[in-house]
Amino acid sequence: MYERVLHPTDGSDAADVAAADAMELAERYDAPLHVLYVVDVTVGRATDAYAGQVVEELETIGREHVDSVTGRARRAGLDVTSDIAEGTPATTIVETTEPGDVVVMGTHGRSGLDRYLVSSTTEKVIRSVDVPVLTVPLSRAEREESE
């Protein structure tokens, strides 16, 4: 059904919860898992003098997050690839999708005013891609821990 499972991660708890679902889908559909971390280049714009250092630090952080997910996937016997890309997260994720993909992303589950004040990469991706997007709320993991 799915030719590839794309899992964008930002290293957050929500992304970590979504990684488990991404791995489960990859196993179920015998599809390769592609783990993506996007270095948000807009972060360095505010401090142009240190932009290069900021991007390098973010790439290092991204590599740690990607390595964590890919390590777990390899131990589970999955076919996994990864990528660290520079750009605006939502745009880069959308540009990375291919026909036949399913995108598996975490969401913090913000609502109300928080949702409007804090832009949601997940929401932007949902509105922009032509492939299915599975959103996994962080609150699900919190509910499972309390059971």
Side-chain angles (χ1 to χ4, degrees), residues 59-109:
E59 286 175 351
T60 299
I61 291 166
R63 177 55 53 203
E64 291 170 5
H65 295 310
V66 165
D67 287 350
S68 173
V69 176
T70 58
R72 289 176 18 210
R74 286 191 179 106
R75 287 189 295 278
L78 299 175
D79 176 9
V80 61
T81 58
S82 65
D83 190 24
I84 306 288
E86 290 183 18
T88 304
T91 302
T92 304
I93 293 165
V94 170
E95 291 171 351
T96 303
T97 62
E98 300 173 356
D101 279 357
V102 59
V103 180
V104 182
M105 300 180 70
T107 180
H108 297 281

